[in-house]
Amino acid sequence: MTEQPHTIPAGVSVLIRHRVRPQALGDYEHWLRKTIDVAAGFSGHQGVNIFKPTCGHTQYDIAVRFASRAEAEAWVQSRERQALLEEAEHYLELPDQVEISSGIDNWFQPLNPPPKQPTRWKQWLVTSLVIWVLTMVVPPVLSPLFEQVPPLGLWGIRHAISAGVIVGLVIYLVMPRLVPRIAHWLYR
């Protein structure tokens, strides 16, 4: 039995960059799923990788792989893709950037470099301000609950409940809405 040499497919990637309007992220993700399904129906399609934005950013990098340059170009220039792009115009801050890259070299160049982290003092300031406001609002709002259910109002228990509500609000409600609004200052 002879061993076959391992070969790397000679496919190409269509590298697409989209900067999405913050208010359109959900609609864009729905559109992107639909677009991926349409691309999968094209001849030579070999898969897709999506590099989603990190917190405070809205840039998506998509690599759609095809078996050949001709098949990749057929997808890029297709009527289906043009119709999808027209549908997405109001989701995007800028027109999409497209590059067709051959070989495997494109896999070793990051499409979405790690974002710059905010300075620690800015993180501290924003977090402190948010928690300061919530520590003034949440305990009085929870006070009727502690009065109606006395065991919940015991020292330590009421603090644990208040802390849990405050942290939940910070993580799931306040920061996801606040950070995109102050990102221009925070990441500067």
Side-chain angles (χ1 to χ4, degrees), residues 19-26 53-59 93 118 126 130 169-188:
R19 186 171 304 154
V20 181
R21 293 176 193 207
Q23 67 275 16
L25 288 169
T54 56
C55 183
H57 297 272
T58 62
Q59 180 174 297
E93 289 182 348
V126 171
V130 167
L169 288 170
V170 169
I171 292 172
Y172 296 107
L173 185 66
V174 177
M175 289 305 211
R177 286 168 178 78
L178 178 61
V179 169
R181 287 190 171 95
I182 63 170
H184 62 281
W185 168 78
L186 192 60
Y187 292 94
R188 186 170 21 148

Side-chain angles (χ1 to χ4, degrees), residues 91-108:
Y91 304 146
L92 305 177
E93 289 182 348
L94 302 169
D96 72 334
Q97 301 170 14
V98 178
E99 176 186 343
I100 298 177
S101 180
S102 300
I104 64 167
D105 54 332
N106 63 73
W107 293 108
F108 298 100

Side-chain angles (χ1 to χ4, degrees), residues 46-180:
Q46 295 180 331
V48 64
N49 286 0
I50 300 169
F51 301 92
K52 291 186 177 189
T54 56
C55 183
H57 297 272
T58 62
Q59 180 174 297
Y60 284 73
D61 291 309
I62 303 114
V64 186
R65 293 181 311 283
F66 286 90
S68 71
R69 178 171 281 280
E71 290 165 323
E73 287 173 353
W75 159 245
V76 169
Q77 297 166 3
S78 70
R79 281 182 282 129
E80 292 90 336
R81 183 169 188 277
Q82 298 315 310
L84 287 163
L85 285 174
E86 286 176 23
E87 184 182 321
E89 270 181 5
H90 59 279
Y91 304 146
L92 305 177
E93 289 182 348
L94 302 169
D96 72 334
Q97 301 170 14
V98 178
E99 176 186 343
I100 298 177
S101 180
S102 300
I104 64 167
D105 54 332
N106 63 73
W107 293 108
F108 298 100
Q109 298 173 5
L111 288 170
N112 200 3
K116 179 181 173 187
Q117 290 296 314
T119 59
R120 292 217 185 259
W121 75 265
K122 289 181 179 181
Q123 293 178 50
W124 169 83
L125 180 63
V126 171
T127 305
S128 294
L129 290 173
V130 167
I131 291 176
W132 173 52
V133 170
L134 289 175
T135 58
M136 292 188 296
V137 173
V138 170
V141 168
L142 292 176
S143 186
L145 172 68
F146 299 148
E147 290 171 9
Q148 285 185 339
V149 185
L152 297 180
L154 293 174
W155 191 89
I157 295 175
R158 74 173 178 258
H159 297 95
I161 293 170
S162 295
V165 170
I166 289 169
V167 170
L169 288 170
V170 169
I171 292 172
Y172 296 107
L173 185 66
V174 177
M175 289 305 211
R177 286 168 178 78
L178 178 61
V179 169

Side-chain angles (χ1 to χ4, degrees), residues 2-63:
T2 60
E3 190 173 313
Q4 296 292 327
H6 186 276
T7 59
I8 297 172
V12 298
S13 292
V14 178
L15 306 173
I16 304 167
R17 177 165 287 152
H18 287 156
R19 186 171 304 154
V20 181
R21 293 176 193 207
Q23 67 275 16
L25 288 169
D27 292 332
Y28 173 81
E29 292 236 349
H30 176 74
W31 172 86
L32 185 57
R33 282 190 292 278
K34 183 168 71 169
T35 302
I36 289 167
D37 290 343
V38 171
F42 273 71
S43 176
H45 183 269
Q46 295 180 331
V48 64
N49 286 0
I50 300 169
F51 301 92
K52 291 186 177 189
T54 56
C55 183
H57 297 272
T58 62
Q59 180 174 297
Y60 284 73
D61 291 309
I62 303 114

